[in-house]
Amino acid sequence: MRGDDIQPDDGRLTVAVQAAQDGDETAFRTVYRAIHPRLLGYVRTLVGEADAEDVASEAWLQITRDLARFSGDADRFRGWAARIARNRALDHIRMRGRRPAIGGDETELADTPAASDTAGEALEALGTGHTFRLIGRLPQDQAEAVTLRVVVGLDAKSAAQVLGKRPGAVRTAAHRGLKKLAELLTGDGAADDGGAVAESYVPGVTETAARTQKDM
């Protein structure tokens, strides 16, 4: 399987979504391969590793059922799918009688101005392998903002629509999350992780994430 079959560009993904809406099973597989790993990563930040696959499967059942009613391009589809996944994750959390581990007061973000968007280089460079373990150590609002922007690939406006917040709040949460990741990636959290930070190193990630602190 070629890499470009897994992650088609936005133009090809838009065409695949439209074809899938017309019942093309091959096109649907293309959409699934492109979106599922990112969606699963996002769900993981909400419900944890043990339940992520089940919740993602529930999300895909709804995506499949409602696909004919979707309208838009690849970017809109990513945001639409992420909203569905988030709703299914929150339903799952309510059913289990527990809450996401939010490590801070999210309300303060709504009134925090954001001077600039999260550094583009950091968004592109941040890895999705061992780095997920570090993202899981962030406060919930920051983990969601970073995952939606870095992994799912949404801009601040689309991520804000998923989260029901203002774009400025999402930018601020992403900035804070990336700053914390920069600290972890450069070794500040090594003592707590038993060496996991060293394993999380991705060439170009540590240096780029650290540079985001200068933009904040």
Side-chain angles (χ1 to χ4, degrees), residues 22-34:
D22 292 333
D24 188 325
E25 294 183 4
T26 300
F28 184 83
R29 284 195 295 271
T30 297
V31 173
Y32 181 86
R33 287 196 299 263

Side-chain angles (χ1 to χ4, degrees), residues 39 42-43 55-56 58-67 70 77-91 162:
L39 212 59
Y42 176 44
V43 170
V55 173
E58 291 173 9
W60 277 105
L61 285 175
Q62 182 176 345
I63 290 169
T64 302
R65 185 180 68 239
D66 297 345
L67 184 59
F70 170 76
F77 183 82
R78 282 190 288 265
W80 179 72
R83 282 195 299 275
I84 290 174
R86 187 174 198 267
N87 288 338
R88 296 290 69 77
L90 295 180
D91 286 346
V162 172

Side-chain angles (χ1 to χ4, degrees), residues 119-151:
E121 291 182 2
L123 292 175
E124 293 172 3
L126 193 60
T128 59
H130 291 299
T131 311
F132 266 122
R133 193 160 42 186
L134 301 182
I135 292 176
R137 294 172 59 181
L138 298 176
Q140 189 69 30
D141 62 310
Q142 296 176 17
E144 283 199 72
V146 170
T147 305
L148 283 172
R149 300 213 57 197
V150 177
V151 182

Side-chain angles (χ1 to χ4, degrees), residues 2-74:
R2 299 181 311 174
D4 58 355
D5 290 330
I6 299 174
Q7 295 296 339
D9 60 35
D10 276 7
R12 290 176 57 203
L13 183 55
T14 297
V15 170
V17 169
Q18 293 169 346
Q21 290 179 296
D22 292 333
D24 188 325
E25 294 183 4
T26 300
F28 184 83
R29 284 195 295 271
T30 297
V31 173
Y32 181 86
R33 287 196 299 263
I35 300 297
H36 178 68
R38 301 174 181 221
L39 212 59
L40 180 61
Y42 176 44
V43 170
R44 231 180 242 126
T45 68
L46 295 168
V47 302
E49 182 69 36
D51 297 330
E53 288 282 1
D54 288 343
V55 173
S57 294
E58 291 173 9
W60 277 105
L61 285 175
Q62 182 176 345
I63 290 169
T64 302
R65 185 180 68 239
D66 297 345
L67 184 59
R69 296 202 295 269
F70 170 76
S71 177
D73 58 11

Side-chain angles (χ1 to χ4, degrees), residues 175-196:
H175 270 298
R176 291 180 177 179
L178 286 171
K179 182 178 180 180
K180 179 62 177 177
L181 284 176
E183 293 171 358
L184 295 172
L185 287 166
T186 52
D188 288 352
D192 296 331
D193 228 15

